[in-house]
């Protein structure tokens, strides 16, 4: 099942489930927001499936605005240097432990919304990423129990201002400009993807493919990430973990290729879909 956060004309945003070319609102089922669904566990999923199957009122997808599926995630956790080919292209050692940083939730935008190039950066870059969304939270989660805690999967573009990122050893400031976390267009429930470590991932700009890999190349896969992250802090329903980017980023290309106003950026992950965002200059 595909889950979205959407807004119909004159209404407040609500959570929904996509059924063919329509979206069924879930407010009437008792789940007005994505966080309510993610925190509802098995009971929520069963109730939602029954609600959707009972021919509840729906909206044509073309008539609604899709927001980021988790518009304000409690935590947006990112993994750096997590594809072997990307670590090699940036001339970094293959990490022995995950490199973890975060983005503020204020950076999140939806599919179709504009990435705004900040006035004070000259090196805005792109990063296609596959992300997983936490359903059942927890602390000290064993790696072998990861599937009990992952609700589903989505797409992230980890937009990065390289000049800010590399100015210090801490990456946060270069990663969390407003609009630097496009997400979506939906969450695909985990049961729809038997093996999340066998998905093609790519990014193209204006039709040109600049990144092309597969999640099998991840250095630290989901079970290890869930275990390691939860050994330090509590994972909560709605936390989004973006698992890293493959080779082909702009800063490592020769010549370098940074984002420019007018670009059309599309991230594609197999079995999930496409995340597309135009790029504009800050006014």
């Amino acid at each position: 099942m595909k889950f979205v956060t959407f807004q119909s004309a004159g209404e407040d945003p609500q959570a929904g489930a996509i059924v063919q070319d329509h979206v069924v609102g879930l407010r009437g089922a008792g789940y007005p927001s994505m966080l309510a669904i993610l925190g509802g566990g098995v009971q929520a999923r069963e109730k939602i499936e029954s609600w959707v199957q009972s021919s509840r009122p729906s909206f044509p997808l073309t008539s609604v605005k899709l927001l980021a599926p988790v518009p304000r995630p409690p935590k947006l956790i990112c993994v750096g240097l997590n594809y072997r080919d990307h670590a090699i292209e940036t001339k970094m050692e293959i990490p022995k432990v995950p490199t973890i940083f975060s983005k503020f939730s204020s950076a999140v935008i939806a599919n179709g919304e504009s990435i705004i190039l900040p006035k004070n950066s000259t090196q805005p870059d792109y990063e296609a990423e596959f992300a997983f969304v936490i359903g059942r939270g927890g602390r000290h989660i064993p790696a072998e129990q990861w599937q009990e805690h992952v609700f589903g999967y989505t797409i992230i573009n980890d937009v990065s201002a390289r000049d800010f990122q590399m100015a210090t050893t801490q990456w946060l400031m270069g990663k969390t400009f407003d609009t630097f976390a496009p997400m979506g267009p939906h969450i695909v429930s985990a049961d729809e993807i038997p093996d999340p470590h066998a998905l093609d991932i790519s990014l193209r700009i204006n039709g040109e493919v600049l990144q092309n890999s597969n999640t099998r190349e991840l250095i630290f896969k989901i079970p290890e990430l869930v275990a390691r992250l939860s050994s330090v802090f509590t994972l909560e329903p709605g936390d989004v973990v973006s698992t890293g980017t493959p080779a082909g980023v702009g800063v490592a290309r020769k010549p370098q290729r940074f984002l420019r106003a007018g670009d059309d950026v599309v991230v594609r992950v197999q079995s999930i879909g496409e995340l597309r965002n135009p790029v504009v200059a800050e006014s």
Side-chain angles (χ1 to χ4, degrees):
M1 188 175 293
K2 294 178 180 177
F3 293 90
V4 296
T5 298
F6 74 99
Q7 188 171 22
S8 57
E11 299 289 337
D12 292 332
Q14 65 169 310
I18 294 178
V19 179
Q20 296 180 346
D21 57 353
H22 282 65
V23 57
V24 178
L26 300 177
R27 182 183 290 124
Y31 301 99
S33 70
M34 189 64 70
L35 291 182
I37 295 171
L38 296 171
V42 175
Q43 181 180 5
R45 183 62 185 272
E46 292 175 349
K47 188 173 180 180
I48 288 168
E49 289 179 353
S50 176
W51 176 266
V52 170
Q53 292 171 7
S54 61
S55 301
R56 298 293 177 176
S58 63
F59 306 86
L61 270 172
T62 55
S63 72
V64 303
K65 177 182 180 181
L66 293 184
L67 308 179
V70 189
R72 301 286 288 192
K75 292 186 285 292
L76 179 46
I77 305 156
C78 302
V79 188
L81 297 173
N82 200 26
Y83 280 75
R84 292 184 181 277
D85 52 5
H86 179 49
I88 292 168
E89 76 170 349
T90 55
K91 297 179 172 58
M92 304 285 282
E93 291 185 12
I94 301 298
K96 295 180 174 60
V97 296
T99 298
I100 304 298
F101 61 96
S102 65
K103 289 176 176 269
F104 297 139
S105 60
S106 55
V108 173
I109 60 172
N111 177 65
E113 293 186 327
S114 295
I115 299 167
I116 299 175
L117 303 181
K119 295 177 180 178
N120 51 340
S121 172
T122 60
Q123 297 181 340
D125 207 347
Y126 53 86
E127 294 191 14
E129 305 210 0
F130 163 73
F132 61 92
V133 183
I134 296 297
R136 177 184 171 194
R139 181 82 194 280
H140 296 297
I141 301 168
E144 60 271 19
Q145 294 179 14
W146 69 274
Q147 290 175 305
E148 299 175 22
H149 298 266
V150 173
F151 177 88
Y153 308 104
T154 191
I155 304 172
I156 296 279
N157 187 347
D158 175 19
V159 183
S160 308
R162 300 299 187 189
D163 39 2
F164 275 73
Q165 179 186 353
M166 301 305 178
T168 73
T169 57
Q170 301 297 316
W171 293 357
L172 175 68
M173 289 295 282
K175 294 286 191 172
T176 201
F177 279 85
D178 289 352
T179 76
F180 271 25
M183 179 195 300
H186 44 246
I187 297 170
V188 176
S189 57
D191 60 294
E192 296 287 335
I193 298 179
D195 185 0
H197 304 108
L199 304 176
D200 291 334
I201 178 171
S202 64
L203 178 143
R204 64 183 189 269
I205 298 181
N206 306 330
E208 179 184 5
V209 177
L210 298 180
Q211 293 184 279
N212 190 22
S213 189
N214 188 284
T215 56
R216 71 173 62 95
E217 301 299 327
L218 287 167
I219 299 168
F220 303 103
K221 295 180 169 56
I222 297 174
E224 183 172 358
L225 291 174
V226 167
R228 184 173 288 270
L229 293 171
S230 69
S231 75
V232 176
F233 53 83
T234 300
L235 288 173
E236 302 171 289
D239 286 348
V240 178
V241 183
S242 199
T243 60
T245 198
V249 296
V251 71
R253 302 184 77 87
K254 295 181 180 179
Q256 293 178 324
R257 202 306 187 188
F258 296 117
L259 293 173
R260 300 187 287 259
D263 282 343
D264 175 58
V265 185
V266 180
V267 182
R268 184 183 183 278
V269 178
Q270 182 182 358
S271 300
I272 300 178
E274 291 189 346
L275 171 66
R276 181 187 294 266
N277 298 90
V279 180
V280 301
E282 187 175 23
S283 58

